[in-house]
Amino acid sequence: MTFCKTFKNITLLSMSMLMLTTLVSCGSDTSNDEKQKLARQLKAQANESSVITVSRFSVEGVSEDKANVKSRIAYHKTFHVKACLSSKIGKSLQYRKFFVTGDNFQTIEREADESSCIRWDEPVEMDYSLPNTYLPMNRKIILSSSANISYDLKLAVNQYANSMIHGNNYHLSQGLNKDRLSNDEIINVKNIKITPKGYGLVDPRNDNLIIDKKVVVSACLNLKTNGSSLSNEFIKAKLVNLEKQENGEENAVTQMYDLTDGQLDESGCAEVKFYLEHERYTNTRRIPFNLEIEVQNKTLKNAKVTRGLCLYPWSNSGWIFAEVSRSGKCEEDNNNQRARLFVDQVSYSFLGHDNNNGFHLNNNLDLVVEKSFIVKMYPKVHYGNYAHHMNPIEPFYQGKLKLEVYFLAPLQGDIDLTNENKHKFKLISVASREVEVENNLLKARIDMPIKFVDMPYVHTRTFAAVKLSPILREGDDPRTAPRPAWAAGTFHASSKTFNSVLHTQLQVTDKFSEADYQNNKIKESMNEMIQLENYLESMSKNIQGVTKADIIKAKLAPRYTKSAEKLFTEELDKHDLFDKTINLTDRALNDKLIAENKLSQAEINGIYEDNYNANTLKKLCGAFFDQKKTGIFWKTYLDYNMKKCIERPWDFMMITPVSHVQEVISKPKVSHSNTIRISKSTGTGDYFTESNRVGWSHGYKTGVGAKLDFKLPFGDKSPVGGGVGVSASYDWSTSWSLDRSNGNNNRTDNSQGIDLYAESITLNFEAITKQCFMVEGTSKWKAVWVDNHLPSNYGLGGSLKYVAENNPMRYKVCKGVSGKERLEETWYFTGEGFQFNSILRDRLGMTENMYTMMFRGRKTLYKFMDFLSKASTSMFNIKERKNQSPDVYMLDVYKSYKEAFDSDHDLIDDQAIPGTVEKFDPIKNGGDHNFSEDSCELPKDNYNHASIDFC
């Protein structure tokens, strides 16, 4: 019975195979599609009718091969499988041998055990790009003794779940996803946290344009297919600046700092350090970055994962510093401007003058004084806008900057510097230097070279324009530097300490005319600036590379190309009260004098130094008048003028020693300085007095007042009207008197006054000069016949009288050769003495300081003082119904003086002939001959005027 059943099955199998073969091989009317369909059906039936089958399939274990013991990522798995076989014909399969074969599988032979089960290993090379699902894997089991008896084993394997199933009894999903994952999809990153940890390896001082921020990125990685963590795997990470990458800039990629930090922990997480480059002065914004992480595992095909970030490196707060952006887009900056330096207040402290190096002269004797100040300020950086707090201004903590200070003087009293009035300002001085900021404080010395004739401007209201700019090192991109700061405020050099609020703030635009920069300096300034800033920038551009010595040299550029002697000669020719100047040497002058009047060499040398006495002057009378004498025993001069000149020579001539500077050969140094008070007052008074007085007085005068001009340098007009005559030099007198009074005096006075002050500084220096002296005639006597028409002589007769007239003779006597000479010259600054605090006046305004004037030389100042004296006298000679206040007279005097000597009406001139020093020593030439040469000695201590004659 069993045999029949078995035979029946074999018969059916054989008949089926025979039928399949017959149907497929023989032609028929059936279509090809139907044939193929029928063949598949018959094959399936034949398999179902297989003699052997797998009754049970299982996985007994899985072995994993990993790169290291800590890794959870296997690169190879071995499935240890068991298949239990059975026979449909009931024949035992124990201990029979079978072959196991299949695609990409090496055929193996296995012997069934007592349970008819065979075991083998299924190797699986891990491919993590495959989806997390069951994938088909077919094997064929063949009876080794009969190749015709076999079984098709349909398996399905899930490499992630360590699972393998017998597909013959398992219905596979019809929608099996066979799409592989790309390299960027294999792993997933989660729990990203980016934390700024302060500054990195680069010194964060503010003059480093690009610094680095230490950034710690923490993240966890897992497989995207099953979510398992990548424990203990090694990774590489980098941050990619998408802005720089798009612009093709270098350093767009920042690699992780330490590769040893690239191992994930047991949870598949890690903290990775970056030192992120930060262009701190570019516009504040959220910068798009990509965080790219690559797993260093070949099994994972070095899978990568990328996440978009928006970083804000201007903040050290984690929640502001970074945002994860899956879209890759970041918010735009609402200001979009570079940071700029900012300064809002400056303190100036006057340090003084450097006695050895603070004074400079040219051959015209134009003076430049270096006024040294300590400048103190707290620079800041204005970032435009911030996302993390409202105030976008931070201190400039430390670093080097370039400081430029410009003194600008308003010519018409403006109290603010604007674009509309910038043409009304004059550049007085400039200083430029590198400065160091420490602990937020900029404190530096600046030396401001100021021309002497510009002193009135810095004495009154002046504006200081301050520029702070970054110093670009080699390789620095100016687009990453902060924009310079321009600010302006008032300045007053007369104050010891002056705090200036810089109320004029200018902003440089953020565009460049070109990107070319060489020698560590920007050659082209930024364009599209406002006009005022462009005006200031043009000044700044002009001093690029200019040293303080260059500035001083420019200020001392000679005003005249002619020599000092030539300028002096031309000035003499302007005086129409003199004949042509007679030029001769001192030897030729001596030849004009008779033997008894000849000058000794000591006397000649004394005249060159303005050191002479009355005896010397008497001898010089022979240069103007006839020296013939008459008489047998007592010879006297025939010429009346010669006689009178011998008696009072100072009434007939004026001596002016001069030195024409050809070259200044030493640094000027201060000899002394002082302040002179000049008072002018008016008043009214009523008084009654009785007095008896006996007294004597003797003095020295210069000239008799016959001249109608002042002979001041560069002046040919008479400043005083009404025919009032004054002498050309300052009166210096020495007198002694003894008064004896008795009586009654009742007095009441009312007076007003104006005080002028003359500040002076005297310098000594060596120069190559040509020494000369002028001998000028002042007046002479002219004999005039005056008719006498008295009735007693019937209208006949008369008398001879002498009247004074001008003496037009003038000599210029010079040494034959030039030589080295040590000179002293004094410079004066005159003006009204006052306190600068006033409720009514603008005491700092140049236009409200009308009495400011500059002088070089003592004689020049004394001539001006003489002018004040004589001009005031002439005004008081005018009959007035009412006494006027002194300012009325003073303003009129200054007006007259300016009309005569200040044609430009700027009061900025030293009133002296360029390059010529007029020597004037009122002590040496004014007090040695007053009494002794008149046989009149000084009064004795026990002098009694009632019994002893004084002279």
Side-chain angles (χ1 to χ4, degrees):
M1 188 69 180
T2 303
F3 174 79
C4 293
K5 184 177 181 181
T6 303
F7 179 78
K8 180 180 179 182
N9 290 336
I10 295 174
T11 303
L12 287 173
L13 176 61
S14 302
M15 291 178 65
S16 298
M17 295 300 295
L18 178 62
M19 185 180 297
L20 173 63
T21 304
T22 304
L23 288 174
V24 173
S25 60
C26 298
S28 69
D29 295 335
T30 306
S31 66
N32 290 331
D33 291 340
E34 290 176 346
K35 291 177 182 179
Q36 292 176 3
K37 182 178 179 182
L38 179 60
R40 288 194 298 270
Q41 291 176 351
L42 291 175
K43 186 176 181 180
Q45 292 174 2
N47 192 57
E48 290 176 358
S49 304
S50 178
V51 174
I52 60 175
T53 183
V54 174
S55 59
R56 187 171 66 250
F57 181 87
S58 64
V59 177
E60 293 188 329
V62 179
S63 300
E64 296 183 351
D65 296 323
K66 301 177 181 178
N68 58 74
V69 295
K70 294 183 177 181
S71 174
R72 293 188 181 181
I73 303 299
Y75 62 85
H76 181 273
K77 290 184 178 182
T78 301
F79 286 77
H80 307 293
V81 299
K82 180 177 75 170
C84 295
L85 306 175
S86 63
S87 172
K88 291 185 178 182
I89 59 175
K91 188 174 179 64
S92 174
L93 300 176
Q94 293 176 340
Y95 307 113
R96 289 182 175 269
K97 293 184 178 181
F98 296 89
F99 292 109
V100 180
T101 186
D103 297 335
N104 300 320
F105 183 79
Q106 186 177 2
T107 302
I108 59 174
E109 185 180 22
R110 291 290 185 266
E111 181 179 345
D113 60 11
E114 68 276 7
S115 301
S116 301
C117 298
I118 59 175
R119 292 174 174 82
W120 75 93
D121 291 338
E122 283 288 347
V124 175
E125 293 294 333
M126 295 299 294
D127 184 354
Y128 291 94
S129 65
L130 294 174
N132 184 9
T133 187
Y134 284 91
L135 301 177
M137 184 176 67
N138 295 323
R139 295 289 181 263
K140 191 170 188 177
I141 301 175
I142 304 171
L143 184 63
S144 60
S145 59
S146 175
N148 294 326
I149 300 177
S150 63
Y151 180 79
D152 290 334
L153 180 62
K154 296 180 180 179
L155 300 177
V157 61
N158 188 325
Q159 62 180 0
Y160 303 104
N162 291 344
S163 175
M164 188 178 293
I165 59 175
H166 182 198
N168 301 60
N169 301 316
Y170 188 87
H171 184 67
L172 294 176
S173 173
Q174 298 298 320
L176 180 63
N177 181 12
K178 297 182 180 179
D179 294 334
R180 289 180 177 274
L181 299 176
S182 67
N183 195 38
D184 295 335
E185 296 175 323
I186 294 176
I187 60 175
N188 185 42
V189 60
K190 61 180 181 179
N191 300 332
I192 298 177
K193 183 179 179 181
I194 303 173
T195 307
K197 296 290 186 178
Y199 297 106
L201 304 176
V202 179
D203 191 338
R205 51 185 289 142
N206 292 87
D207 53 0
N208 285 329
L209 305 183
I210 301 176
I211 59 174
D212 57 347
K213 302 292 285 286
K214 184 178 179 180
V215 179
V216 175
V217 177
S218 59
C220 299
L221 298 179
N222 56 19
L223 288 174
K224 193 171 185 179
T225 51
N226 63 355
S228 62
S229 62
L230 302 182
S231 301
N232 302 309
E233 293 296 327
F234 287 92
I235 62 171
K236 284 185 178 180
K238 60 184 177 181
L239 288 171
V240 182
N241 188 318
L242 300 182
E243 280 185 357
K244 290 187 175 183
Q245 190 178 66
E246 182 179 354
N247 296 330
E249 299 180 30
E250 298 179 355
N251 303 322
V253 177
T254 302
Q255 300 287 352
M256 57 186 289
Y257 176 67
D258 191 350
L259 293 178
T260 61
D261 292 340
Q263 186 174 17
L264 305 178
D265 59 16
E266 289 292 336
S267 302
C269 302
E271 289 188 349
V272 182
K273 290 195 295 288
F274 293 90
Y275 287 99
L276 186 64
E277 194 175 77
H278 175 35
E279 297 174 348
R280 65 205 302 185
Y281 298 119
T282 56
N283 58 303
T284 57
R285 66 205 184 279
R286 299 191 184 276
I287 305 173
F289 278 83
N290 272 347
L291 171 63
E292 296 182 4
I293 302 175
E294 178 182 326
V295 180
Q296 301 299 293
N297 190 318
K298 294 182 179 180
T299 305
L300 295 177
K301 298 180 180 180
N302 293 336
K304 298 178 181 178
V305 63
T306 301
R307 283 291 179 270
L309 303 175
C310 295
L311 301 186
Y312 190 82
W314 288 269
S315 172
N316 287 322
S317 174
W319 66 277
I320 291 292
F321 182 84
E323 294 178 356
V324 178
S325 172
R326 292 188 175 273
S327 66
K329 295 182 180 180
C330 302
E331 296 179 16
E332 293 185 359
D333 177 30
N334 59 7
N335 201 350
N336 193 27
Q337 68 176 22
R338 279 191 306 138
R340 64 184 175 92
L341 296 171
F342 178 76
V343 58
D344 55 0
Q345 189 167 353
V346 179
S347 173
Y348 302 91
S349 297
F350 179 58
L351 190 61
H353 301 146
D354 188 336
N355 188 32
N356 294 322
N357 300 297
F359 300 90
H360 307 272
L361 290 173
N362 61 10
N363 295 337
N364 290 153
L365 297 185
D366 298 322
L367 174 63
V368 168
V369 180
E370 287 186 52
K371 299 187 78 67
S372 298
F373 299 88
I374 296 297
V375 178
K376 186 171 71 173
M377 66 184 77
Y378 294 90
K380 302 177 179 66
V381 181
H382 196 307
Y383 287 93
N385 70 296
Y386 266 160
H388 53 295
H389 55 76
M390 294 181 63
N391 186 8
I393 300 176
E394 290 186 354
F396 189 99
Y397 293 100
Q398 182 184 22
K400 289 185 177 181
L401 293 172
K402 183 179 181 182
L403 171 66
E404 299 172 32
V405 180
Y406 300 81
F407 285 173
L408 301 170
L411 300 177
Q412 300 179 15
D414 294 89
I415 62 173
D416 199 3
L417 176 62
T418 65
N419 182 51
E420 289 73 20
N421 68 0
K422 63 179 183 292
H423 61 281
K424 300 179 183 178
F425 283 76
K426 176 181 179 181
L427 178 61
I428 301 300
S429 185
V430 59
S432 174
R433 60 164 297 179
E434 289 187 6
V435 293
E436 184 84 26
V437 179
E438 290 286 350
N439 194 25
N440 306 349
L441 175 63
L442 186 160
K443 184 166 63 174
R445 168 182 166 178
I446 58 171
D447 299 322
M448 303 298 290
I450 301 173
K451 294 172 69 173
F452 168 72
V453 294
D454 286 337
M455 289 294 179
Y457 292 121
V458 294
H459 175 68
T460 53
R461 180 183 299 107
T462 311
F463 281 84
V466 177
K467 180 181 182 182
L468 278 180
S469 53
I471 297 175
L472 297 181
R473 304 185 182 96
E474 185 176 0
D476 284 345
D477 187 343
R479 292 171 296 181
T480 64
R483 294 175 295 155
W486 267 114
T490 53
F491 172 77
H492 185 213
S494 295
S495 299
K496 174 64 178 176
T497 301
F498 187 76
N499 292 317
S500 177
V501 177
L502 303 180
H503 49 81
T504 302
Q505 293 286 338
L506 307 176
Q507 296 187 19
V508 184
T509 57
D510 200 13
K511 295 183 179 180
F512 291 80
S513 57
E514 65 181 53
D516 180 32
Y517 53 99
Q518 298 174 353
N519 298 325
N520 304 337
K521 295 179 181 178
I522 302 175
K523 292 299 183 183
E524 294 291 333
S525 59
M526 297 166 240
N527 60 10
E528 296 187 7
M529 290 180 287
I530 60 174
Q531 296 181 41
L532 175 57
E533 189 160 26
N534 196 28
Y535 164 74
L536 296 174
E537 277 291 324
S538 64
M539 292 193 301
S540 177
K541 185 177 179 180
N542 290 336
I543 68 163
Q544 295 300 316
V546 175
T547 64
K548 182 177 70 173
D550 296 328
I551 296 173
I552 294 173
K553 182 178 179 181
K555 288 185 172 294
L556 291 177
R559 293 177 291 164
Y560 307 95
T561 57
K562 300 175 183 177
S563 68
E565 187 174 8
K566 179 65 175 176
L567 291 171
F568 188 84
T569 301
E570 290 179 353
E571 182 60 27
L572 294 181
D573 294 340
K574 296 178 182 179
H575 298 174
D576 54 5
L577 295 179
F578 290 98
D579 294 338
K580 186 174 180 61
T581 302
I582 302 171
N583 294 284
L584 68 171
T585 64
D586 48 33
R587 179 176 295 181
L589 176 64
N590 237 355
D591 292 341
K592 288 181 172 289
L593 306 178
I594 61 177
E596 62 186 73
N597 289 338
K598 288 191 181 295
L599 300 170
S600 67
Q601 189 60 47
E603 289 177 309
I604 293 175
N605 293 337
I607 298 176
Y608 281 121
E609 299 299 330
D610 200 32
N611 184 6
Y612 52 87
N613 55 31
N615 286 332
T616 303
L617 294 178
K618 290 177 182 179
K619 295 178 180 180
L620 287 174
C621 291
F624 294 100
F625 308 113
D626 190 353
Q627 302 175 71
K628 292 180 181 180
K629 290 186 174 183
T630 185
I632 299 175
F633 299 105
W634 302 102
K635 294 185 178 292
T636 59
Y637 290 104
L638 289 172
D639 191 342
Y640 180 79
N641 280 298
M642 188 65 184
K643 292 179 182 179
K644 292 298 181 182
C645 185
I646 293 296
E647 293 175 3
R648 298 181 63 85
W650 48 85
D651 286 343
F652 291 84
M653 68 186 75
M654 184 167 62
I655 307 295
T656 306
V658 296
S659 287
H660 301 305
V661 174
Q662 296 175 348
E663 182 183 2
V664 177
I665 60 175
S666 74
K667 282 280 189 181
K669 295 187 177 182
V670 177
S671 294
H672 60 272
S673 62
N674 54 36
T675 301
I676 303 171
R677 178 182 177 186
I678 307 171
S679 297
K680 299 299 293 184
S681 62
T682 63
T684 59
D686 299 310
Y687 62 91
F688 169 79
T689 184
E690 270 185 12
S691 178
N692 296 318
R693 181 178 185 275
V694 178
W696 294 266
S697 178
H698 194 85
Y700 165 57
K701 299 180 180 179
T702 305
V704 295
K707 298 295 184 186
L708 299 181
D709 73 333
F710 273 78
K711 299 183 188 176
L712 290 179
F714 291 88
D716 55 1
K717 300 179 182 179
S718 174
V720 182
V724 178
V726 295
S727 64
S729 68
Y730 177 68
D731 290 341
W732 181 270
S733 62
T734 306
S735 63
W736 285 262
S737 65
L738 179 64
D739 293 344
R740 183 177 184 181
S741 300
N742 54 72
N744 298 312
N745 187 359
N746 297 312
R747 182 182 183 91
T748 177
D749 293 303
N750 180 26
S751 64
Q752 305 173 59
I754 289 181
D755 289 334
L756 300 180
Y757 289 86
E759 295 183 356
S760 71
I761 188 164
T762 301
L763 304 177
N764 69 83
F765 54 94
E766 284 189 343
I768 304 299
T769 65
K770 187 172 184 179
Q771 288 185 263
C772 305
F773 60 84
M774 306 292 300
V775 185
E776 298 175 312
T778 56
S779 62
K780 61 183 179 179
W781 296 106
K782 180 181 179 181
V784 178
W785 179 264
V786 180
D787 293 332
N788 186 355
H789 301 288
L790 297 176
S792 58
N793 59 8
Y794 305 101
L796 300 176
S799 61
L800 189 65
K801 292 186 177 181
Y802 288 92
V803 295
E805 67 175 2
N806 179 51
N807 185 354
M809 293 186 68
R810 178 162 59 188
Y811 296 94
K812 183 182 181 186
V813 182
C814 296
K815 289 184 177 181
V817 294
S818 302
K820 183 188 296 186
E821 182 182 7
R822 177 159 290 278
L823 295 172
E824 269 198 353
E825 184 67 307
T826 304
W827 284 260
Y828 295 92
F829 175 94
T830 64
E832 182 183 1
F834 56 82
Q835 295 295 323
F836 278 98
N837 297 322
S838 172
I839 192 62
L840 183 61
R841 291 178 59 184
D842 179 9
R843 313 303 286 270
L844 292 174
M846 182 69 178
T847 55
E848 296 191 31
N849 287 272
M850 301 300 297
Y851 302 134
T852 302
M853 204 170 293
M854 316 297 289
F855 300 98
R856 174 170 65 80
R858 290 190 183 94
K859 193 168 185 178
T860 309
L861 174 69
Y862 291 158
K863 289 174 183 177
F864 172 70
M865 293 168 62
D866 190 58
F867 176 89
L868 291 180
S869 176
K870 297 299 191 292
S872 299
T873 301
S874 68
M875 284 188 289
F876 279 108
N877 287 336
I878 302 173
K879 183 177 180 180
E880 301 236 6
R881 296 178 58 189
K882 184 178 180 181
N883 187 58
Q884 299 293 335
S885 62
D887 60 307
V888 175
Y889 300 114
M890 190 67 74
L891 288 174
D892 190 79
V893 170
Y894 268 71
K895 179 181 178 182
S896 300
Y897 188 87
K898 286 190 292 183
E899 288 176 352
F901 307 115
D902 184 27
S903 59
D904 295 332
H905 298 286
D906 61 358
L907 292 179
I908 306 302
D909 199 345
D910 59 11
Q911 316 294 329
I913 301 176
T916 295
V917 175
E918 290 192 56
K919 298 176 181 178
F920 182 66
D921 192 335
I923 302 298
K924 292 180 180 178
N925 68 21
D928 293 341
H929 52 78
N930 285 349
F931 299 101
S932 62
E933 286 127 21
D934 293 334
S935 299
C936 184
E937 301 297 335
L938 295 176
K940 298 178 181 180
D941 294 336
N942 57 355
Y943 169 71
N944 186 342
H945 73 280
S947 59
I948 304 175
D949 290 334
F950 181 61
C951 289

